Amino acid sequence: LIISSAGLNKILAVSVPVLNAIYPIAIVLIVLAFVGPLTKRWPAMYPAAILFTGAVSVVYALEQSKFVIPFLTQATTFLPGYGAGLGWIVPAFAGMAAGIIYSSVTGGQEE
């Protein structure tokens, strides 16, 4: 009843930033699920990609909520596609690469 009495604008004001933080992580999880054999070969790829993607998507969601972290928000605006909400793609690939490198250096041993 409380949610239904709140206006649509208020509901969207709360839900859109949350969804902007969650959707990129969900998309990366789905992509990593499709490349499952690679994630078994390089186990650090999974958490590194999610960490990098999550960091950028949370900064984007905070910016949409009018909460700006001065240096961090400015730094993420230089990412390709950030204005269109796709600034998380490059960090996702960077996280995958970092996870592959880490797994290769440590011998692929999962901790």
Side-chain angles (χ1 to χ4, degrees):
L1 184 62
I2 294 172
I3 294 174
S4 64
S5 65
L8 181 61
N9 290 334
K10 289 184 181 183
I11 294 171
L12 290 176
V14 173
S15 64
V16 168
V18 172
L19 293 174
N20 281 335
I22 294 173
Y23 282 156
I25 297 169
I27 292 169
V28 171
L29 284 171
I30 291 168
V31 169
L32 288 174
F34 282 123
V35 292
L38 295 178
T39 58
K40 291 178 184 167
R41 188 176 194 191
W42 298 300
M45 182 172 69
Y46 218 97
I50 298 302
L51 178 70
F52 284 35
T53 304
V56 173
S57 65
V58 166
V59 169
Y60 183 72
L62 288 174
E63 181 185 7
Q64 295 298 312
S65 299
K66 308 292 188 268
F67 184 79
V68 176
I69 303 169
F71 175 74
L72 197 56
T73 303
Q74 285 179 326
T76 55
T77 58
F78 292 110
L79 291 169
Y82 187 82
L86 299 173
W88 55 270
I89 293 174
V90 172
F93 284 115
M96 288 180 195
I100 289 170
I101 292 169
Y102 180 78
S103 291
S104 298
V105 168
T106 61
Q109 300 296 322
E110 193 165 344
E111 297 180 25

XYZ file of all heavy atoms in Angstrom:
818
model
N 0.817 -1.188 0.000
C 0.000 0.000 0.000
C 0.864 1.256 0.000
O 0.545 2.215 -0.687
C -0.937 -0.009 1.207
C -1.924 1.147 1.298
C -2.861 1.147 0.119
C -2.707 1.062 2.577
N 1.947 1.212 0.764
C 2.823 2.391 0.822
C 3.489 2.611 -0.527
O 3.574 3.740 -1.002
C 3.877 2.222 1.926
C 3.190 2.198 3.284
C 4.902 3.347 1.872
C 4.100 1.848 4.426
N 3.942 1.530 -1.146
C 4.604 1.657 -2.445
C 3.621 2.127 -3.505
O 3.947 2.949 -4.349
C 5.262 0.318 -2.852
C 6.401 0.000 -1.891
C 5.788 0.373 -4.273
C 7.029 -1.341 -2.103
N 2.394 1.623 -3.450
C 1.420 2.021 -4.462
C 0.979 3.472 -4.305
O 0.594 4.118 -5.273
C 0.210 1.098 -4.426
O -0.466 1.226 -3.195
N 1.026 4.008 -3.109
C 0.626 5.396 -2.922
C 1.752 6.373 -3.281
O 1.495 7.552 -3.484
C 0.162 5.630 -1.489
O 1.229 5.447 -0.599
N 2.961 5.894 -3.327
C 4.062 6.753 -3.770
C 3.923 6.964 -5.268
O 3.495 6.085 -6.002
C 5.395 6.102 -3.450
N 4.299 8.103 -5.708
C 4.168 8.397 -7.126
C 5.182 7.617 -7.950
O 6.215 7.172 -7.448
N 4.860 7.451 -9.222
C 5.753 6.737 -10.124
C 7.114 7.407 -10.211
O 8.145 6.729 -10.264
C 5.121 6.641 -11.514
C 5.936 5.896 -12.571
C 6.168 4.454 -12.152
C 5.239 5.973 -13.908
N 7.143 8.713 -10.164
C 8.412 9.430 -10.225
C 9.306 9.111 -9.035
O 10.515 8.969 -9.178
C 8.186 10.938 -10.311
C 7.614 11.340 -11.647
O 7.813 10.658 -12.642
N 6.898 12.445 -11.657
N 8.724 8.978 -7.864
C 9.508 8.640 -6.673
C 10.020 7.205 -6.746
O 11.141 6.918 -6.347
C 8.690 8.849 -5.406
C 8.440 10.299 -5.095
C 7.709 10.466 -3.798
C 7.457 11.949 -3.550
N 6.817 12.197 -2.277
N 9.187 6.308 -7.233
C 9.608 4.907 -7.374
C 10.750 4.810 -8.369
O 11.743 4.122 -8.133
C 8.417 4.026 -7.798
C 7.378 3.978 -6.687
C 8.888 2.624 -8.156
C 6.076 3.326 -7.077
N 10.635 5.514 -9.498
C 11.702 5.498 -10.496
C 12.964 6.177 -9.991
O 14.073 5.763 -10.331
C 11.226 6.154 -11.790
C 10.192 5.371 -12.584
C 9.732 6.176 -13.785
C 10.745 4.031 -13.013
N 12.815 7.209 -9.187
C 13.979 7.904 -8.647
C 14.817 6.982 -7.773
O 16.037 7.128 -7.693
C 13.548 9.130 -7.856
N 14.187 6.019 -7.136
C 14.910 5.071 -6.295
C 15.375 3.863 -7.099
O 16.518 3.408 -6.957
C 14.016 4.605 -5.118
C 14.674 3.489 -4.338
C 13.709 5.781 -4.213
N 14.532 3.349 -7.969
C 14.839 2.084 -8.634
C 15.835 2.214 -9.786
O 16.640 1.311 -10.006
C 13.567 1.417 -9.131
O 12.951 2.213 -10.114
N 15.814 3.308 -10.531
C 16.694 3.439 -11.695
C 18.169 3.420 -11.295
O 18.965 2.691 -11.907
C 16.328 4.679 -12.537
C 17.386 4.996 -13.574
C 14.992 4.456 -13.214
N 18.618 4.168 -10.279
C 20.027 4.061 -9.897
C 20.416 2.666 -9.410
O 21.517 2.184 -9.701
C 20.179 5.087 -8.776
C 19.096 6.067 -9.019
C 17.957 5.264 -9.575
N 19.515 2.017 -8.698
C 19.811 0.656 -8.240
C 19.957 -0.288 -9.434
O 20.884 -1.098 -9.497
C 18.713 0.158 -7.268
C 18.900 -1.317 -6.950
C 18.719 0.990 -6.003
N 19.072 -0.166 -10.396
C 19.147 -1.005 -11.592
C 20.389 -0.684 -12.422
O 20.993 -1.581 -13.002
C 17.879 -0.854 -12.426
C 16.613 -1.393 -11.767
C 15.403 -1.067 -12.621
C 16.726 -2.870 -11.512
N 20.792 0.588 -12.460
C 22.016 0.958 -13.166
C 23.243 0.333 -12.523
O 24.248 0.103 -13.192
C 22.184 2.478 -13.223
C 21.327 3.106 -14.282
O 20.969 2.466 -15.260
N 20.980 4.365 -14.087
N 23.194 0.065 -11.243
C 24.306 -0.590 -10.562
C 24.268 -2.105 -10.753
O 25.310 -2.751 -10.821
C 24.285 -0.257 -9.076
N 23.080 -2.677 -10.872
C 22.949 -4.139 -10.928
C 23.049 -4.699 -12.346
O 23.657 -5.750 -12.553
C 21.609 -4.566 -10.283
C 21.637 -4.252 -8.796
C 21.345 -6.041 -10.496
C 20.317 -4.474 -8.111
N 22.463 -4.033 -13.330
C 22.420 -4.574 -14.687
C 23.792 -4.881 -15.288
O 23.971 -5.951 -15.861
C 21.630 -3.663 -15.619
C 20.128 -3.765 -15.478
C 19.313 -2.715 -15.848
C 19.524 -4.906 -14.976
C 17.938 -2.802 -15.723
C 18.161 -4.994 -14.837
C 17.371 -3.942 -15.217
O 16.013 -4.038 -15.086
N 24.783 -4.001 -15.198
C 26.087 -4.346 -15.781
C 26.699 -5.588 -15.147
O 27.277 -6.434 -15.845
C 26.944 -3.113 -15.502
C 25.978 -2.004 -15.366
C 24.759 -2.607 -14.741
N 26.541 -5.728 -13.844
C 27.082 -6.907 -13.164
C 26.361 -8.160 -13.653
O 26.993 -9.194 -13.913
C 26.960 -6.750 -11.637
C 27.811 -5.563 -11.178
C 27.370 -8.022 -10.918
C 27.581 -5.146 -9.753
N 25.052 -8.073 -13.805
C 24.285 -9.224 -14.291
C 24.692 -9.596 -15.714
O 24.815 -10.782 -16.042
C 22.791 -8.914 -14.233
N 24.915 -8.600 -16.561
C 25.319 -8.885 -17.936
C 26.682 -9.560 -17.970
O 26.886 -10.532 -18.714
C 25.311 -7.583 -18.771
C 23.872 -7.087 -18.941
C 25.979 -7.790 -20.128
C 23.771 -5.686 -19.511
N 27.618 -9.085 -17.159
C 28.946 -9.709 -17.112
C 28.850 -11.135 -16.568
O 29.523 -12.038 -17.060
C 29.930 -8.851 -16.298
C 31.239 -9.567 -16.062
C 30.182 -7.536 -17.013
N 28.007 -11.350 -15.572
C 27.812 -12.714 -15.051
C 27.280 -13.645 -16.135
O 27.710 -14.801 -16.239
C 26.861 -12.697 -13.858
C 27.437 -12.205 -12.539
C 26.327 -12.028 -11.517
C 28.489 -13.161 -12.026
N 26.365 -13.170 -16.948
C 25.809 -13.984 -18.024
C 26.874 -14.286 -19.072
O 27.009 -15.428 -19.531
C 24.583 -13.294 -18.649
C 23.430 -13.281 -17.639
C 24.164 -13.971 -19.943
C 22.278 -12.374 -18.023
N 27.653 -13.279 -19.449
C 28.728 -13.499 -20.435
C 29.745 -14.495 -19.896
O 30.188 -15.403 -20.616
C 29.401 -12.156 -20.811
C 30.671 -12.385 -21.605
C 28.438 -11.289 -21.598
N 30.111 -14.362 -18.639
C 31.079 -15.293 -18.050
C 30.501 -16.706 -17.941
O 31.241 -17.682 -18.017
C 31.534 -14.793 -16.686
C 32.452 -13.569 -16.712
C 32.721 -13.084 -15.298
C 33.745 -13.869 -17.433
N 29.204 -16.817 -17.775
C 28.582 -18.144 -17.741
C 28.684 -18.822 -19.104
O 28.843 -20.045 -19.184
C 27.124 -18.036 -17.318
N 28.612 -18.030 -20.185
C 28.747 -18.595 -21.526
C 30.170 -19.047 -21.824
O 30.380 -19.925 -22.657
C 28.290 -17.606 -22.599
C 26.798 -17.520 -22.723
C 26.153 -16.310 -22.579
C 26.037 -18.650 -22.989
C 24.777 -16.221 -22.693
C 24.658 -18.576 -23.102
C 24.022 -17.361 -22.955
N 31.140 -18.414 -21.183
C 32.529 -18.820 -21.390
C 33.012 -19.626 -20.184
O 34.142 -19.483 -19.735
C 33.449 -17.598 -21.662
C 33.129 -16.960 -22.983
C 33.389 -16.585 -20.543
N 32.162 -20.491 -19.686
C 32.424 -21.303 -18.502
C 33.726 -22.063 -18.501
O 34.442 -22.059 -17.497
N 34.087 -22.739 -19.592
C 35.363 -23.457 -19.582
C 36.562 -22.541 -19.336
O 37.543 -22.956 -18.714
C 35.432 -24.082 -20.972
C 34.020 -24.202 -21.403
C 33.314 -23.032 -20.786
N 36.501 -21.313 -19.810
C 37.607 -20.382 -19.577
C 37.690 -19.960 -18.119
O 38.779 -19.754 -17.584
C 37.466 -19.148 -20.469
C 37.577 -19.382 -21.968
C 37.363 -18.080 -22.714
C 38.918 -19.986 -22.329
N 36.525 -19.825 -17.481
C 36.544 -19.419 -16.078
C 37.080 -20.538 -15.195
O 37.606 -20.273 -14.126
C 35.150 -18.987 -15.588
O 34.232 -20.057 -15.767
C 34.667 -17.764 -16.329
N 36.964 -21.781 -15.653
C 37.563 -22.883 -14.904
C 39.069 -22.915 -15.095
O 39.810 -23.278 -14.202
C 36.939 -24.207 -15.334
C 35.505 -24.341 -14.903
C 34.892 -25.625 -15.381
C 33.425 -25.655 -15.003
N 32.691 -26.701 -15.666
N 39.500 -22.510 -16.278
C 40.935 -22.483 -16.566
C 41.625 -21.343 -15.828
O 42.747 -21.470 -15.371
C 41.126 -22.333 -18.070
C 42.517 -22.465 -18.540
C 42.523 -22.390 -20.036
N 43.779 -22.825 -20.580
C 44.108 -22.662 -21.832
N 43.252 -22.095 -22.671
N 45.262 -23.071 -22.276
N 40.945 -20.190 -15.771
C 41.465 -19.009 -15.089
C 40.466 -18.567 -14.031
O 39.644 -17.671 -14.257
C 41.709 -17.876 -16.082
C 42.711 -18.191 -17.132
C 44.009 -18.527 -16.936
C 42.510 -18.194 -18.537
N 44.636 -18.739 -18.131
C 43.730 -18.543 -19.141
C 41.417 -17.943 -19.355
C 43.877 -18.643 -20.504
C 41.571 -18.038 -20.714
C 42.783 -18.385 -21.277
N 40.509 -19.155 -12.851
C 39.466 -18.892 -11.843
C 39.412 -17.449 -11.340
O 38.358 -16.992 -10.911
C 39.809 -19.848 -10.712
C 41.220 -20.241 -10.925
C 41.491 -20.133 -12.382
N 40.494 -16.701 -11.419
C 40.478 -15.316 -10.928
C 39.790 -14.366 -11.907
O 39.506 -13.217 -11.559
C 41.898 -14.845 -10.656
N 39.500 -14.838 -13.119
C 38.863 -13.984 -14.110
C 37.458 -13.566 -13.650
O 37.049 -12.423 -13.849
C 38.776 -14.704 -15.460
C 38.177 -13.863 -16.556
S 38.281 -14.597 -18.184
C 37.156 -15.951 -18.055
N 36.758 -14.488 -13.059
C 35.373 -14.224 -12.625
C 35.304 -13.093 -11.595
O 34.633 -12.091 -11.832
C 34.816 -15.517 -12.038
C 33.372 -15.777 -12.350
C 33.008 -16.602 -13.400
C 32.372 -15.222 -11.583
C 31.688 -16.853 -13.679
C 31.045 -15.464 -11.846
C 30.708 -16.290 -12.896
O 29.400 -16.523 -13.163
N 35.973 -13.206 -10.440
C 35.838 -12.129 -9.448
C 36.455 -10.808 -9.894
O 35.939 -9.743 -9.547
C 36.548 -12.675 -8.209
C 37.377 -13.799 -8.682
C 36.755 -14.321 -9.931
N 37.527 -10.848 -10.668
C 38.155 -9.603 -11.112
C 37.226 -8.844 -12.063
O 37.075 -7.620 -11.953
C 39.491 -9.888 -11.781
N 36.594 -9.548 -12.984
C 35.680 -8.891 -13.918
C 34.477 -8.298 -13.185
O 34.055 -7.175 -13.481
C 35.212 -9.878 -14.982
N 33.952 -9.012 -12.217
C 32.811 -8.513 -11.450
C 33.224 -7.317 -10.592
O 32.487 -6.337 -10.483
C 32.209 -9.631 -10.573
C 31.680 -10.757 -11.449
C 31.118 -9.091 -9.654
C 30.645 -10.341 -12.452
N 34.407 -7.371 -10.010
C 34.885 -6.265 -9.181
C 35.050 -4.989 -9.997
O 34.564 -3.919 -9.607
C 36.212 -6.639 -8.524
C 36.861 -5.559 -7.668
C 36.053 -5.346 -6.399
C 38.286 -5.943 -7.329
N 35.709 -5.084 -11.143
C 35.934 -3.909 -11.982
C 34.604 -3.360 -12.512
O 34.379 -2.149 -12.509
C 36.856 -4.250 -13.153
C 38.311 -4.384 -12.780
C 38.722 -4.908 -11.567
C 39.292 -4.014 -13.677
C 40.049 -5.043 -11.240
C 40.632 -4.146 -13.369
C 41.012 -4.660 -12.147
N 33.740 -4.252 -12.961
C 32.443 -3.827 -13.483
C 31.600 -3.196 -12.383
O 30.971 -2.156 -12.594
C 31.684 -5.027 -14.077
O 32.487 -5.638 -15.069
C 30.357 -4.605 -14.671
N 31.579 -3.814 -11.235
C 30.795 -3.303 -10.122
C 31.240 -1.934 -9.659
O 30.412 -1.075 -9.344
N 32.543 -1.714 -9.647
C 33.061 -0.413 -9.210
C 32.568 0.704 -10.124
O 32.082 1.740 -9.652
C 34.585 -0.451 -9.182
N 32.652 0.491 -11.429
C 32.230 1.533 -12.367
C 30.713 1.693 -12.361
O 30.201 2.813 -12.402
C 32.755 1.230 -13.788
C 32.184 2.207 -14.797
C 34.261 1.283 -13.808
N 29.984 0.598 -12.282
C 28.526 0.713 -12.313
C 27.985 1.374 -11.047
O 26.987 2.109 -11.115
C 27.873 -0.650 -12.538
O 28.119 -1.517 -11.457
N 28.623 1.170 -9.912
C 28.190 1.838 -8.686
C 28.478 3.336 -8.767
O 27.646 4.151 -8.363
C 28.860 1.198 -7.446
C 28.708 2.070 -6.214
C 28.276 -0.178 -7.192
N 29.644 3.704 -9.314
C 29.949 5.128 -9.486
C 28.925 5.769 -10.419
O 28.446 6.881 -10.171
C 31.390 5.323 -10.015
C 31.630 6.759 -10.447
C 32.400 4.909 -8.961
N 28.567 5.072 -11.488
C 27.557 5.586 -12.421
C 26.199 5.737 -11.731
O 25.506 6.733 -11.906
C 27.444 4.662 -13.635
C 26.486 5.158 -14.683
C 26.806 6.245 -15.488
C 25.254 4.551 -14.879
C 25.923 6.714 -16.450
C 24.368 5.008 -15.835
C 24.714 6.091 -16.619
O 23.834 6.561 -17.568
N 25.826 4.752 -10.941
C 24.538 4.813 -10.236
C 24.522 5.941 -9.214
O 23.507 6.631 -9.061
C 24.257 3.481 -9.557
N 25.641 6.145 -8.528
C 25.713 7.247 -7.571
C 25.607 8.595 -8.279
O 24.972 9.519 -7.775
C 27.012 7.169 -6.770
C 27.094 6.055 -5.737
C 28.493 6.002 -5.129
C 26.050 6.228 -4.656
N 26.235 8.694 -9.448
C 26.143 9.931 -10.216
C 24.695 10.194 -10.648
O 24.233 11.336 -10.625
C 27.051 9.877 -11.439
C 27.027 11.136 -12.254
C 27.832 11.044 -13.532
O 28.326 9.944 -13.865
O 27.946 12.072 -14.206
N 23.977 9.146 -11.032
C 22.581 9.303 -11.413
C 21.718 9.738 -10.222
O 20.686 10.368 -10.401
C 22.032 7.991 -11.989
C 22.696 7.577 -13.275
C 22.485 8.595 -14.372
O 21.377 9.045 -14.591
N 23.557 8.960 -15.051
N 22.163 9.399 -9.013
C 21.445 9.786 -7.793
C 21.880 11.152 -7.277
O 21.544 11.526 -6.165
C 21.686 8.756 -6.693
O 21.226 7.507 -7.089
N 22.667 11.861 -8.072
C 23.169 13.191 -7.709
C 24.167 13.146 -6.554
O 24.327 14.105 -5.813
C 22.028 14.149 -7.356
C 20.936 14.251 -8.387
C 21.407 14.915 -9.652
C 20.260 15.185 -10.603
N 20.017 14.142 -11.563
N 24.837 12.005 -6.376
C 25.890 11.877 -5.364
C 27.197 11.702 -6.120
O 27.458 10.634 -6.677
C 25.620 10.675 -4.446
C 26.607 10.544 -3.331
C 26.495 11.344 -2.212
C 27.647 9.644 -3.413
C 27.412 11.229 -1.168
C 28.564 9.516 -2.381
C 28.447 10.311 -1.264
N 27.991 12.752 -6.150
C 29.204 12.752 -6.960
C 30.429 12.639 -6.056
O 30.581 13.413 -5.108
C 29.292 14.039 -7.812
C 30.587 14.110 -8.579
C 28.098 14.123 -8.740
N 31.284 11.677 -6.350
C 32.575 11.548 -5.683
C 33.570 12.258 -6.595
O 33.841 11.763 -7.696
C 32.950 10.066 -5.481
C 31.852 9.360 -4.694
C 34.296 9.953 -4.790
C 31.982 7.868 -4.668
N 34.086 13.419 -6.186
C 34.788 14.311 -7.115
C 35.808 13.656 -8.043
O 35.645 13.700 -9.253
C 35.455 15.325 -6.182
C 34.595 15.352 -4.981
C 34.072 13.959 -4.837
N 36.841 13.047 -7.531
C 37.879 12.507 -8.414
C 37.408 11.259 -9.145
O 37.647 11.086 -10.334
C 39.147 12.198 -7.615
C 40.204 11.536 -8.441
C 40.925 12.270 -9.367
C 40.451 10.184 -8.321
C 41.889 11.667 -10.150
C 41.407 9.576 -9.103
C 42.137 10.317 -10.019
N 36.719 10.381 -8.436
C 36.321 9.095 -9.014
C 35.293 9.261 -10.135
O 35.401 8.630 -11.187
C 35.768 8.200 -7.907
C 35.670 6.720 -8.179
C 37.018 6.154 -8.589
C 35.172 5.998 -6.959
N 34.331 10.106 -9.934
C 33.317 10.328 -10.966
C 33.931 10.972 -12.200
O 33.619 10.594 -13.326
C 32.173 11.201 -10.426
O 31.628 10.572 -9.263
C 31.077 11.376 -11.447
N 34.837 11.933 -11.992
C 35.508 12.569 -13.125
C 36.357 11.565 -13.890
O 36.405 11.595 -15.113
C 36.384 13.721 -12.660
C 35.608 14.962 -12.283
C 36.532 16.055 -11.798
O 37.545 15.788 -11.170
N 36.167 17.291 -12.092
N 37.031 10.676 -13.189
C 37.889 9.694 -13.850
C 37.069 8.707 -14.686
O 37.475 8.334 -15.787
C 38.718 8.943 -12.816
N 35.928 8.305 -14.185
C 35.125 7.330 -14.925
C 34.425 7.937 -16.134
O 34.065 7.212 -17.058
C 34.071 6.661 -14.022
O 33.279 7.662 -13.405
C 34.723 5.795 -12.972
N 34.246 9.255 -16.152
C 33.585 9.872 -17.303
C 34.435 9.794 -18.568
O 33.920 9.974 -19.663
C 33.223 11.351 -17.034
O 34.402 12.069 -16.698
C 32.199 11.466 -15.931
N 35.722 9.508 -18.431
C 36.600 9.378 -19.595
C 36.514 7.998 -20.250
O 37.108 7.779 -21.300
C 38.057 9.679 -19.217
C 38.288 11.111 -18.858
C 38.565 11.471 -17.554
C 38.186 12.111 -19.818
C 38.779 12.795 -17.215
C 38.399 13.442 -19.486
C 38.691 13.784 -18.187
N 35.812 7.069 -19.635
C 35.666 5.734 -20.212
C 34.799 5.790 -21.466
O 33.800 6.519 -21.496
C 35.035 4.779 -19.196
C 35.896 4.411 -18.005
C 35.063 3.698 -16.957
C 37.054 3.525 -18.445
N 35.159 5.020 -22.493
C 34.331 5.010 -23.705
C 32.921 4.505 -23.399
O 32.750 3.494 -22.718
C 35.051 4.032 -24.626
C 36.403 3.847 -24.055
C 36.328 4.176 -22.609
N 31.927 5.213 -23.876
C 30.544 4.807 -23.695
C 29.939 5.198 -22.364
O 28.794 4.845 -22.076
N 30.659 5.927 -21.534
C 30.149 6.277 -20.206
C 28.896 7.137 -20.283
O 27.963 6.944 -19.501
C 31.229 6.986 -19.387
C 30.827 7.225 -17.958
C 30.943 6.212 -17.014
C 30.312 8.439 -17.536
C 30.576 6.410 -15.704
C 29.938 8.650 -16.229
C 30.072 7.635 -15.317
O 29.690 7.833 -14.014
N 28.849 8.051 -21.221
C 27.686 8.918 -21.363
C 26.425 8.152 -21.715
O 25.318 8.557 -21.375
N 26.578 7.018 -22.383
C 25.433 6.192 -22.765
C 25.147 5.096 -21.737
O 24.288 4.246 -21.947
C 25.687 5.549 -24.125
N 25.885 5.107 -20.621
C 25.685 4.084 -19.598
C 26.423 2.795 -19.874
O 26.154 1.768 -19.254
N 27.374 2.825 -20.807
C 28.126 1.617 -21.156
C 29.601 1.715 -20.777
O 30.432 1.009 -21.328
C 28.003 1.355 -22.665
C 26.583 1.112 -23.172
C 26.568 1.030 -24.683
C 26.007 -0.140 -22.553
N 29.916 2.570 -19.833
C 31.295 2.741 -19.402
C 31.846 1.547 -18.649
O 33.046 1.480 -18.395
N 31.030 0.586 -18.329
C 31.464 -0.597 -17.590
C 32.084 -1.653 -18.494
O 32.710 -2.605 -17.994
C 30.281 -1.202 -16.833
C 29.111 -1.508 -17.713
C 28.081 -0.667 -18.000
C 28.873 -2.706 -18.448
N 27.206 -1.276 -18.864
C 27.666 -2.533 -19.161
C 29.551 -3.912 -18.578
C 27.136 -3.511 -19.980
C 29.017 -4.885 -19.395
C 27.826 -4.686 -20.077
N 31.956 -1.532 -19.816
C 32.433 -2.579 -20.725
C 33.951 -2.684 -20.705
O 34.507 -3.793 -20.604
C 31.888 -2.339 -22.147
C 30.373 -2.528 -22.151
C 32.547 -3.278 -23.158
C 29.700 -2.191 -23.465
N 34.642 -1.562 -20.806
C 36.109 -1.591 -20.795
C 36.632 -2.129 -19.460
O 37.514 -2.990 -19.453
C 36.683 -0.200 -21.132
C 38.185 -0.163 -20.932
C 36.329 0.183 -22.567
N 36.122 -1.678 -18.303
C 36.577 -2.273 -17.050
C 36.265 -3.768 -16.934
O 37.022 -4.510 -16.299
C 35.835 -1.481 -15.976
C 35.551 -0.181 -16.612
C 35.306 -0.484 -18.051
N 35.171 -4.209 -17.542
C 34.857 -5.645 -17.503
C 35.939 -6.449 -18.231
O 36.431 -7.459 -17.719
C 33.494 -5.912 -18.127
N 36.322 -5.970 -19.424
C 37.383 -6.652 -20.155
C 38.722 -6.519 -19.451
O 39.531 -7.451 -19.456
C 37.477 -6.138 -21.594
C 36.395 -6.671 -22.484
C 35.455 -5.821 -23.036
C 36.302 -8.027 -22.761
C 34.450 -6.304 -23.853
C 35.303 -8.530 -23.564
C 34.372 -7.666 -24.118
N 38.966 -5.361 -18.825
C 40.204 -5.180 -18.062
C 40.236 -6.136 -16.866
O 41.287 -6.706 -16.543
C 40.328 -3.741 -17.590
N 39.096 -6.317 -16.226
C 39.019 -7.265 -15.114
C 39.234 -8.700 -15.567
O 39.901 -9.484 -14.885
N 38.676 -9.035 -16.732
C 38.916 -10.376 -17.277
C 40.398 -10.580 -17.555
O 40.963 -11.621 -17.221
C 38.111 -10.578 -18.554
C 36.644 -10.732 -18.350
S 35.830 -10.950 -19.952
C 34.141 -10.649 -19.517
N 41.034 -9.572 -18.163
C 42.461 -9.666 -18.461
C 43.288 -9.757 -17.183
O 44.228 -10.566 -17.090
C 42.910 -8.464 -19.296
N 42.935 -8.954 -16.186
C 43.657 -9.001 -14.912
C 43.491 -10.364 -14.241
O 44.449 -10.910 -13.676
C 43.163 -7.895 -13.992
N 42.301 -10.934 -14.324
C 42.070 -12.259 -13.751
C 42.841 -13.344 -14.471
O 43.365 -14.274 -13.849
N 42.938 -13.230 -15.797
C 43.716 -14.198 -16.575
C 45.185 -14.099 -16.202
O 45.863 -15.117 -15.986
C 43.500 -13.974 -18.084
C 42.092 -14.399 -18.473
C 44.539 -14.732 -18.903
C 41.687 -14.006 -19.880
N 45.689 -12.883 -16.118
C 47.105 -12.693 -15.765
C 47.378 -13.212 -14.363
O 48.359 -13.925 -14.137
C 47.492 -11.203 -15.899
C 47.469 -10.792 -17.359
C 48.855 -10.938 -15.281
C 47.567 -9.306 -17.600
N 46.510 -12.885 -13.421
C 46.699 -13.344 -12.043
C 46.660 -14.868 -11.960
O 47.479 -15.483 -11.283
C 45.642 -12.728 -11.129
C 45.784 -13.152 -9.693
C 46.740 -12.576 -8.878
C 44.971 -14.143 -9.144
C 46.890 -12.962 -7.571
C 45.104 -14.545 -7.839
C 46.070 -13.950 -7.052
O 46.214 -14.349 -5.750
N 45.702 -15.473 -12.643
C 45.601 -16.932 -12.625
C 46.810 -17.581 -13.285
O 47.275 -18.634 -12.850
C 44.325 -17.392 -13.327
O 43.203 -17.034 -12.588
N 47.317 -16.971 -14.341
C 48.489 -17.517 -15.019
C 49.725 -17.420 -14.140
O 50.544 -18.341 -14.109
C 48.735 -16.780 -16.336
O 47.643 -16.963 -17.206
N 49.868 -16.316 -13.422
C 51.034 -16.119 -12.552
C 50.985 -17.071 -11.364
O 51.999 -17.650 -10.977
C 51.130 -14.648 -12.092
C 52.141 -14.471 -10.980
C 51.451 -13.749 -13.270
N 49.804 -17.241 -10.788
C 49.677 -18.094 -9.605
C 49.473 -19.559 -9.965
O 49.326 -20.390 -9.069
C 48.513 -17.629 -8.715
O 47.297 -17.705 -9.454
C 48.748 -16.232 -8.194
N 49.443 -19.864 -11.233
C 49.273 -21.258 -11.663
C 47.841 -21.725 -11.675
O 47.570 -22.912 -11.689
N 46.884 -20.809 -11.631
C 45.469 -21.181 -11.704
C 44.927 -21.808 -10.442
O 43.876 -22.403 -10.433
N 45.647 -21.674 -9.337
C 45.185 -22.238 -8.086
C 44.137 -21.325 -7.476
O 44.371 -20.147 -7.261
C 46.347 -22.401 -7.096
C 47.437 -23.321 -7.605
C 46.940 -24.740 -7.780
O 46.159 -25.232 -6.977
N 47.402 -25.404 -8.817
N 42.985 -21.882 -7.206
C 41.916 -21.097 -6.593
C 42.125 -21.074 -5.097
O 42.444 -22.085 -4.474
C 40.549 -21.707 -6.919
C 39.427 -20.780 -6.592
C 38.147 -21.227 -7.253
O 38.188 -22.041 -8.164
O 37.106 -20.738 -6.813
N 41.930 -19.892 -4.525
C 42.180 -19.753 -3.087
C 40.950 -20.050 -2.280
O 39.871 -19.867 -2.633
C 42.666 -18.333 -2.800
C 43.969 -18.061 -3.488
C 44.475 -16.656 -3.206
O 44.101 -16.093 -2.153
O 45.219 -16.141 -4.005
